Amino acid sequence: MESTRRDVTKNNKVIICENVSKTFEGKKGSVNRVLDNISFSVRENEFLVLFGPGQCGKTTLLNIIAGLEKPTSGRVIVNNKEVTAPGADKGMVYQTIALFPWLTVMGNVEFGPKVRGVPKKERQEKAKYFIDLVGLNGFEKHYPSQLSGGMRQRVGIARAYCNDPYVMLLDEPFGHLDAQTRYMMEDELQRIWQKEKRTIVFVTNNIEEALYLADRIILLTNCPSTIKKEYIIDLPRPRNYVDKRFLQLRKEITMNMDKSQY
Amino acid sequence: MTKANRSERKKVIRSAIIVFAAFIAVWQIISTLTPLRDFVPSASSVISAFIRSFYIPIGKHTMPHHVAVSLFRVLVAFGIACFTGVILGVLMGYFRIAEAIIKPIFEFIRPIPPLAWIPMSILWFGIGNTSKFFIIFLGCFTFITVNTYVGTKSVDPVLIGAARMLGANERQVFLRVVLPSTVPYIFAGLHIAITAGWSAVVGAELIRSDDGVGWIVNMGMVTGNTVQVMVGMMAIGIVGFVLATAMAALERRLCKWNQQEGM
């Protein structure tokens, strides 16, 4: 079993994207350039938000970091190793939530340790810890179809955490939730992250969400995406949506953001 | 099950009973009071013959024996069909090469009705039970194969990606993601297949035999005994209904997770 524990002795840049570009080749030789020469790095335990207009390639970039897609050129390094395939060192949380519907909450959360060969008692204790942490104590035997959208995504977060990943990749995880649940889940994610610090890359197209959660925001342009600007967000946590500085930053970033192409 | 659900079920059962009673009443009226009476044996004569068949043999055996023999034939054939159908379906759905080889042959064989196989079946397997297994097998295995194939093809690629991200290897992706997500499709196939297999029993028992519910119908036809034909049809209908209901219950039990949003 491969260890996925943090190795911070070499440097504290746990994700490094080097000149990542991605082109999709359509039918009849048409070429669609999605990512253009993107370079950035993420520090250990940093909460990084990739922010940009809809359809700008944020998800593609996240999939490349995850190893689910290959870059056309450039490379991604996670934990001092070049990413070549998906794997347990990267925990993924999906917009579509993507729970295994035939498994209970417990079955979903313990899936990662189970396929990696962690003994039953150990993995179930661990799964229980994360189920409790995301606030689903008592729902262990429920199936996803019996849970609300917000609860399902809590399971998604617990499932990613329980595998003890080196980095967490969240792809618009609250995009399908209603506004109220969304605010609550943002608070919850922040609480969980402050209890169990991890390096997080969070993709969103919602400026409020980005400002509320991020240590740093990387603003991407329209396709082909490049990095337009970076913002260090040093507002104290928990943040206030109507705080003066918050609104000021919100205005500034929104002004700088490209119009969505769609 | 919730209270609302249960009263809903009660309503369904009650209306089914009323519909059946009305059906039998209309049948009885048509078969005794209209000019059609020469073509339709009366409901009372069929029902009483049906009840009598439980203690007075039709041919050499009573009704329970006929039903048991037919059930045995169907269940053996259905069992073999499940096994081969699921394996073929998964192979076709998961491996491109298997799909390329099996699918054309399968699509060619599929439209040939089981009855058309009887002559070849007798030549290959004789007139014993093996031939009957074969005919019933042909009647149900296509449904299982097609459904399994479609199910394996329609596994959500995001779920496969999610399993890989959690560290699953090829074998684990197959066993823990592809197979379980195919199960509801397989069950839908089994559901159609058990009914189709059971209705193939009449055809299968055209091949020389002296028992089975299909034989009752066939023999009634040969001897011009319409009451006996309808007694056989009635037995087939009742048992078929029970089989389909049992299958649905099994599915509900095994695919609890697949039930729609219910909190």
Side-chain angles (χ1 to χ4, degrees):
Chain A
M1 197 183 86
E2 203 182 335
S3 167
T4 57
R5 286 261 46 137
R6 271 155 291 282
D7 174 10
V8 286
T9 48
K10 289 171 192 162
N11 66 51
N12 75 345
K13 285 179 179 173
V14 294
I15 302 174
I16 304 168
C17 281
E18 285 179 356
N19 310 101
V20 171
S21 295
K22 178 76 179 177
T23 8
F24 288 106
E25 276 175 43
K27 287 169 209 150
K28 296 176 189 166
S30 71
V31 189
N32 184 13
R33 197 163 177 77
V34 178
L35 300 174
D36 186 22
N37 204 21
I38 291 186
S39 299
F40 66 91
S41 59
V42 191
R43 292 190 323 273
E44 183 177 29
N45 293 343
E46 185 179 22
F47 199 125
L48 179 86
V49 169
L50 292 174
F51 178 67
Q55 309 291 324
C56 78
K58 309 178 291 283
T59 296
T60 306
L61 182 54
L62 199 73
N63 281 342
I64 289 172
I65 299 172
L68 288 165
E69 284 182 54
K70 288 200 173 14
T72 311
S73 63
R75 60 175 189 165
V76 176
I77 294 161
V78 170
N79 191 20
N80 300 314
K81 276 187 306 244
E82 187 171 340
V83 173
T84 54
D89 52 342
K90 294 151 292 203
M92 189 95 169
V93 179
Y94 297 83
Q95 182 177 17
T96 55
I97 305 182
L99 298 179
F100 304 115
W102 54 88
L103 296 178
T104 58
V105 169
M106 174 56 88
N108 269 285
V109 177
E110 67 164 349
F111 187 95
K114 190 172 181 177
V115 294
R116 283 166 47 243
V118 177
K120 187 169 179 179
K121 190 163 177 285
E122 191 185 328
R123 69 170 187 253
Q124 291 203 335
E125 270 169 20
K126 197 163 179 189
K128 184 80 181 73
Y129 170 78
F130 284 108
I131 290 169
D132 290 351
L133 183 68
V134 299
L136 285 179
N137 184 16
F139 287 93
E140 290 81 357
K141 288 183 179 155
H142 282 61
Y143 287 96
S145 62
Q146 298 169 305
L147 304 177
S148 67
M151 288 160 96
R152 283 180 208 174
Q153 196 54 293
R154 287 168 191 261
V155 180
I157 292 168
R159 179 175 71 174
Y161 257 112
C162 190
N163 217 12
D164 209 0
Y166 189 63
V167 297
M168 294 274 283
L169 309 171
L170 291 83
D171 183 13
E172 299 191 38
F174 310 138
H176 280 344
L177 304 178
D178 62 80
Q180 223 177 347
T181 313
R182 189 171 186 149
Y183 286 134
M184 184 178 71
M185 289 302 290
E186 285 162 17
D187 276 334
E188 281 291 278
L189 178 65
Q190 184 158 259
R191 175 182 67 80
I192 294 161
W193 174 67
Q194 279 171 339
K195 183 120 199 284
E196 289 283 338
K197 282 270 182 174
R198 293 290 190 281
T199 308
I200 288 186
V201 181
F202 187 107
V203 164
T204 185
N205 56 17
N206 181 317
I207 179 62
E208 215 176 32
E209 185 170 79
L211 271 174
Y212 192 67
L213 293 170
D215 287 330
R216 183 159 56 110
I217 295 175
I218 291 184
L219 176 62
L220 297 172
T221 65
N222 268 332
C223 272
S225 285
T226 53
I227 294 177
K228 191 160 196 181
K229 205 167 174 188
E230 277 191 39
Y231 298 89
I232 309 277
I233 312 299
D234 49 8
L235 299 171
R237 294 174 192 269
R239 292 171 183 166
N240 185 341
Y241 291 111
V242 289
D243 172 79
K244 205 176 158 201
R245 179 98 179 93
F246 189 99
L247 291 172
Q248 208 175 6
L249 273 166
R250 176 177 174 158
K251 197 173 170 194
E252 187 187 335
I253 298 173
T254 309
M255 296 262 284
N256 264 326
M257 181 166 144
D258 290 2
K259 291 265 183 303
S260 181
Q261 294 146 297
Y262 296 91
Chain B
M1 206 186 292
T2 64
K3 230 179 192 172
N5 248 332
R6 209 171 296 154
S7 75
E8 192 66 22
R9 245 179 111 99
K10 259 186 193 160
K11 256 188 218 160
V12 169
I13 292 170
R14 200 180 310 141
S15 68
I17 291 170
I18 293 169
V19 168
F20 267 112
F23 173 74
I24 289 169
V26 171
W27 175 12
Q28 182 66 16
I29 291 165
I30 289 174
S31 60
T32 52
L33 302 176
T34 72
L36 285 172
R37 62 174 169 261
D38 296 338
F39 303 98
V40 187
S42 74
S44 52
S45 67
V46 172
I47 291 169
S48 63
F50 181 74
I51 294 166
R52 235 178 311 147
S53 70
F54 278 80
Y55 49 91
I56 298 168
I58 300 177
K60 291 180 193 155
H61 310 282
T62 55
M63 185 57 83
H65 175 92
H66 287 301
V67 170
V69 163
S70 293
L71 264 183
F72 168 72
R73 285 169 185 153
V74 169
L75 292 181
V76 169
F78 179 72
I80 299 168
C82 286
F83 189 72
T84 48
V86 169
I87 289 178
L88 268 185
V90 167
L91 283 178
M92 276 162 65
Y94 201 65
F95 300 103
R96 286 254 167 80
I97 303 170
E99 187 180 12
I101 297 171
I102 303 168
K103 210 180 167 212
I105 303 173
F106 183 78
E107 290 298 342
F108 172 71
I109 291 176
R110 189 148 79 117
I112 304 171
L115 279 180
W117 285 92
I118 289 179
M120 298 319 289
S121 167
I122 292 173
L123 184 64
W124 295 334
F125 303 110
I127 55 169
N129 260 346
T130 317
S131 256
K132 296 173 184 84
F133 293 153
F134 181 64
I135 297 302
I136 299 166
F137 166 83
L138 287 168
C140 49
F141 121 103
T142 49
F143 296 106
I144 303 173
T145 313
V146 170
N147 270 279
T148 310
Y149 167 68
V150 171
T152 315
K153 277 257 159 195
S154 40
V155 180
D156 183 357
V158 175
L159 287 187
I160 293 179
R164 293 228 165 90
M165 290 303 297
L166 289 165
N169 58 33
E170 278 300 316
R171 195 178 57 88
Q172 288 166 326
V173 166
F174 180 72
L175 291 177
R176 296 187 186 280
V177 180
V178 176
L179 278 190
S181 63
T182 310
V183 165
Y185 290 86
I186 296 178
F187 261 102
L190 296 186
H191 206 126
I192 310 168
I194 190 81
T195 312
W198 178 248
S199 42
V201 85
V202 179
E205 287 170 358
L206 275 175
I207 302 166
R208 221 177 103 173
S209 60
D210 58 1
D211 52 11
V213 287
W215 172 85
I216 296 178
V217 174
N218 292 325
M219 194 43 75
M221 183 171 72
V222 170
T223 58
N225 183 346
T226 50
V227 172
Q228 183 180 326
V229 168
M230 293 202 70
V231 165
M233 287 165 68
M234 208 164 162
I236 292 171
I238 292 170
V239 176
F241 177 76
V242 171
L243 283 177
T245 311
M247 204 65 202
L250 186 69
E251 182 179 0
R252 268 201 303 276
R253 266 194 86 104
L254 292 182
C255 299
K256 258 190 214 143
W257 57 270
N258 203 28
Q259 269 148 43
Q260 284 319 303
E261 329 278 308
M263 269 205 69

